Amino acid sequence: MSNDLLVLDQVRLDIPAGRDWRTLVENVSLTIAPGEAVGLVGESGSGKSMTARSVLRLAPPGARLSGRIEFDGTPVLDLGPRDLRALRTRRIAMIFQDPRAHINPVRSIGDFLTEAMVTHLSVPAREAHARAVRLLADVGIADGERRMRQHPHELSGGLLQRVMIASVLAVEPDLVLADEPTTALDVTTQSEVMAILDDLRRERGMAMLLITHDLELAAATCDRIAVMYAGRILEVQSAETLVQTPRHPYTTGLMVSRPSIDRVAHRLPVIAGRPVAAFEAGAGCAFQPRCTQAGPECLTGRPPLRELAGAHVACVRAEES
Amino acid sequence: MSWPLFLARRLAALVAVLLVASFLVYGLLYLVPGGPMAFLLGNRSGSPEQIAAIRHEYRLDDPFLIRYFGWLGDALRGDFGQSLVYRQDVSDLMSTRLATTGLLVLYATVIIVVAGVGLGVLGALRRGTVDAVISLVNSIFLATPTFVVGVLLVIVFALGLGWFPVFGPGAGLPDRLYHLTLPAIALSLGSAAFLARITRASVGEELRREHVETARSRGFSQSHIVRRHVLRNASIPVVTVTGLTVAGLIAGSVVVENIFALDGLGSLLVRAILQRDFAVVQGVVLVLVTAFVLINLAVDVCYSLIDPRLSPGEAT
């Protein structure tokens, strides 16, 4: 455990809702080794984004975050404001889903790229500019000098997401949190942007936590995959074995409900019902109401994550499926 | 579109607005019951010779459009005709008063922007007690009419404490500013409170934007985020409200001018209307319209400087 870069242990996140608390993330335990890419897969509202934000303590105001989050041996939840900022500036960087909303629209691309270098790393403005142009070239933007003078509204979504990736590379962090980095993009640019991110990350030896609802994308780019549902992790396996032998009925459901180019289906199989958030789930297994394999034992208590033939799975009937 | 073209188009629009406004200002006075003759004669009934003399002096026998263009041509050269009451050039009557009102409005604008934006930002950043106190004070200022504020200021600071003069415009710039302090405060409190509300809402909204979350995730300090990523983004509604407020102050200064016995443009206009001194009314209204249009132009230019998406000069 000690050589892990990031350790999440029993992480729980509640947000205030009137007088009550609503649980968004519950009992999440996950590790990432240096240079490793871990995919966190789940539907909207499963708590995957909130889990990633918890690592940087970017939870919504008033939220209650508990459990243990350790980055490179440092307990993140105990950090003071100064140390937390240092962690955010140098060690962990985040790529957000919608670059158009997540990059300040009134400042130039050049400002966005050099801001962190100039402010945090005390790089002289001229050198920061040159470095930013090189970074733009690294992410496949050739006319960097011109782009530096432009503003976000003059760039396409794909270009902007590359700018976002360049800004993350600029501070050379140890861990990249990528929150659905390609979801807001055209299908054609999705794979391009993902390839750039994956290549540059490997080159620089950065670890990555990739948050996505796209199981196939995660399988293609990540070493290990964790599947989340209703704020809990249902299954963790290496990417290869997960695709071959999914252990949890939910993972199986996710895999068959995805359209494929070489398999013509008149109607895609879907997982019946709608996804629930952690605070909406009943007493038993949160996935039980939608599960095709559910039996009476699924109604008694949340199944814990347990080891099964090299995988970790939270299903009492995992052996049977 | 480039900056020179943008400015040229804005200025052309400005000229068009002024032309229409001047036509309305000039024409509307002729629609008032009785027509200009009733103004000029007042309650007297003039002899036919007198009437003919007046008609000739004021060119009332000419067709309306010729009169209008004659008046407009003179106005462009700074000649707004003669006041019927004072028997003085309207431009002379306006120039000294314009300086007083202009200085008063400028002074009040500085107070409104500094206090309004300052308190608004403070309220947005320090949610809790500070915000609650500021909101309460704002509500009180918003609900108190200018004339009440003015009278209270005179009672407390001029008569009671004796820190400021009770009335008069003063002579020389420092003395004039000293004399205008209480009037400017009276004029600005309500607007400053209004601007503080707008600023607070706008800054509060901007603080919740996604790009601010990005800045937080990159480890910037709160003060850096506010300076670099919140204030400029939040300033569009602030500039809009400031522009409208200042434009309103020019005409609204009349109440304050009366309380503090300042001979300004507002009081000149009100007196001229009451005395049916229509050359003065036309002149003052035209000046007010010009000021309004110029302030709107300034606001538009500010928009373009603040937000590149509204800017004519793209770096392409």
Side-chain angles (χ1 to χ4, degrees):
Chain A
M1 285 294 269
S2 59
N3 56 5
D4 280 324
L5 183 66
L6 178 73
V7 179
L8 301 185
D9 185 21
Q10 306 276 312
V11 171
R12 181 191 176 97
L13 177 75
D14 304 85
I15 57 162
R19 282 187 198 164
D20 298 332
W21 290 88
R22 284 188 167 176
T23 308
L24 295 184
V25 176
E26 200 174 10
N27 247 333
V28 166
S29 301
L30 191 67
T31 59
I32 300 179
E36 188 189 26
V38 174
L40 195 55
V41 181
E43 288 167 281
S44 316
S46 59
K48 53 193 193 312
S49 271
M50 280 302 154
T51 305
R53 280 169 166 73
S54 300
V55 174
L56 279 177
R57 281 174 47 189
L58 280 173
R64 195 170 58 188
L65 190 56
S66 60
R68 190 168 63 96
I69 300 177
E70 214 161 85
F71 180 80
D72 206 8
T74 320
V76 175
L77 298 187
D78 302 336
L79 288 179
R82 185 181 296 267
D83 293 328
L84 180 64
R85 285 217 309 275
L87 181 82
R88 289 173 176 176
T89 52
R90 299 301 300 269
R91 309 296 309 272
I92 307 178
M94 186 145 180
I95 297 172
F96 292 92
Q97 177 176 346
D98 183 1
R100 206 165 291 290
H102 274 281
I103 296 179
N104 190 343
V106 310
R107 296 200 169 268
S108 68
I109 301 298
D111 268 355
F112 179 72
L113 286 173
T114 55
E115 187 181 13
M117 286 191 263
V118 172
T119 315
H120 295 318
L121 315 182
S122 311
V123 178
R126 189 183 298 260
E127 198 192 318
H129 181 91
R131 226 195 265 184
V133 173
R134 282 202 299 277
L135 284 167
L136 285 178
D138 287 346
V139 295
I141 300 178
D143 48 353
E145 285 289 349
R146 183 169 75 93
R147 298 295 184 194
M148 292 283 280
R149 288 194 305 274
Q150 289 187 317
H151 287 88
H153 69 279
E154 297 168 79
L155 272 65
S156 69
L159 279 180
L160 268 189
Q161 195 59 291
R162 292 177 199 216
V163 169
M164 178 85 91
I165 293 169
S167 80
V168 163
L169 299 176
V171 292
E172 300 188 346
D174 303 298
L175 173 66
V176 177
L177 305 171
D179 183 8
E180 309 222 20
T182 58
T183 307
L185 307 180
D186 285 345
V187 184
T188 43
T189 48
Q190 276 184 1
S191 49
E192 257 176 64
V193 168
M194 204 57 227
I196 287 167
L197 174 61
D198 199 42
D199 286 351
L200 296 173
R201 174 193 78 75
R202 280 173 206 277
E203 257 172 45
R204 289 162 166 78
M206 300 172 185
M208 173 168 77
L209 180 64
L210 174 70
I211 290 125
T212 177
H213 57 254
D214 187 339
L215 195 56
E216 217 161 283
L217 177 79
T221 44
C222 295
D223 305 309
R224 274 190 307 135
I225 293 177
V227 178
M228 259 187 110
Y229 185 80
R232 284 171 169 257
I233 290 182
L234 296 188
E235 176 166 10
V236 185
Q237 277 203 65
S238 81
E240 280 167 46
T241 53
L242 183 101
V243 176
Q244 284 158 11
T245 50
R247 298 286 179 182
H248 199 284
Y250 178 59
T251 317
T252 316
L254 280 183
M255 287 176 65
V256 296
S257 61
R258 200 173 187 286
S260 164
I261 204 152
D262 36 60
R263 171 165 51 87
V264 179
H266 290 292
R267 189 164 177 189
L268 282 171
V270 291
I271 305 174
R274 67 171 184 92
V276 291
F279 60 89
E280 295 172 310
C285 170
F287 185 60
Q288 176 272 331
R290 303 172 70 190
C291 186
T292 50
Q293 319 281 325
E297 64 269 42
C298 299
L299 289 166
T300 49
R302 299 271 159 94
L305 206 61
R306 63 198 169 90
E307 194 163 348
L308 174 70
H312 287 82
V313 60
C315 177
V316 287
R317 309 187 61 165
E319 285 88 349
E320 300 163 39
S321 54
Chain B
M1 198 164 51
S2 63
W3 268 104
L5 187 62
F6 168 76
L7 285 178
R9 282 176 64 158
R10 294 300 323 207
L11 284 171
L14 186 151
V15 169
V17 168
L18 279 180
L19 211 60
V20 172
S22 69
F23 185 79
L24 289 176
V25 166
Y26 192 77
L28 281 177
L29 282 170
Y30 284 82
L31 292 179
V32 176
M37 278 312 290
F39 286 145
L40 295 173
L41 286 172
N43 295 326
R44 296 158 294 172
S45 53
S47 64
E49 295 83 40
Q50 280 176 315
I51 291 175
I54 292 171
R55 291 192 81 90
H56 180 72
E57 187 185 344
Y58 292 95
R59 299 192 293 200
L60 291 179
D61 293 325
D62 293 343
F64 174 76
L65 278 179
I66 291 182
R67 269 183 280 146
Y68 164 68
F69 282 114
W71 172 77
L72 188 65
D74 289 343
L76 285 179
R77 273 177 266 115
D79 176 11
F80 291 95
Q82 268 211 337
S83 158
L84 307 178
V85 175
Y86 301 97
R87 291 280 155 195
Q88 265 181 349
D89 279 349
V90 173
S91 43
D92 290 341
L93 282 172
M94 285 197 300
S95 58
T96 50
R97 291 172 173 87
L98 189 61
T100 305
T101 301
L103 201 60
L104 175 64
V105 169
L106 206 66
Y107 199 165
T109 304
V110 172
I111 296 176
I112 289 170
V113 171
V114 171
V117 171
L119 290 176
V121 171
L122 200 65
L125 295 180
R126 300 251 184 287
R127 296 279 154 131
T129 321
V130 176
D131 185 32
V133 171
I134 291 175
S135 287
L136 181 71
V137 173
N138 279 346
S139 301
I140 294 171
F141 284 160
L142 269 174
T144 317
T146 310
F147 62 88
V148 176
V149 176
V151 170
L152 283 177
L153 285 176
V154 169
I155 291 172
V156 176
F157 293 101
L159 297 177
L161 297 167
W163 292 352
F164 291 98
V166 179
F167 61 85
L173 190 64
D175 190 43
R176 291 182 89 166
L177 285 178
Y178 176 58
H179 274 79
L180 286 176
T181 300
L182 285 188
I185 291 173
L187 190 58
S188 57
L189 282 186
S191 307
F194 186 56
L195 189 64
R197 293 229 150 158
I198 301 288
T199 308
R200 175 181 174 274
S202 183
V203 169
E205 193 181 323
E206 205 59 40
L207 276 171
R208 289 190 297 272
R209 283 277 152 83
E210 285 96 337
H211 71 83
V212 172
E213 188 188 24
T214 310
R216 277 195 218 292
S217 82
R218 298 168 92 195
F220 294 115
S221 63
Q222 176 76 1
S223 67
H224 177 98
I225 290 173
V226 170
R227 261 184 296 118
R228 296 277 308 247
H229 294 288
V230 172
L231 289 187
R232 180 167 157 192
N233 297 57
S235 54
I236 289 271
V238 175
V239 169
T240 310
V241 169
T242 307
L244 289 174
T245 307
V246 172
L249 286 185
I250 301 173
S253 61
V254 59
V255 175
V256 171
E257 285 169 7
N258 275 330
I259 294 170
F260 293 91
L262 296 168
D263 208 3
L265 219 52
S267 38
L268 178 69
L269 177 64
V270 170
R271 232 178 305 135
I273 292 171
L274 293 176
Q275 292 167 335
R276 300 178 167 190
D277 193 351
F278 74 114
V280 175
V281 174
Q282 285 166 343
V284 175
V285 170
L286 204 59
V287 167
L288 294 184
V289 170
T290 310
F292 215 96
V293 171
L294 282 178
I295 288 168
N296 272 314
L297 175 69
V299 167
D300 278 357
V301 171
C302 281
Y303 284 168
S304 308
L305 292 176
I306 291 166
D307 194 332
R309 286 167 294 183
L310 304 171
S311 170
E314 300 282 87
T316 41

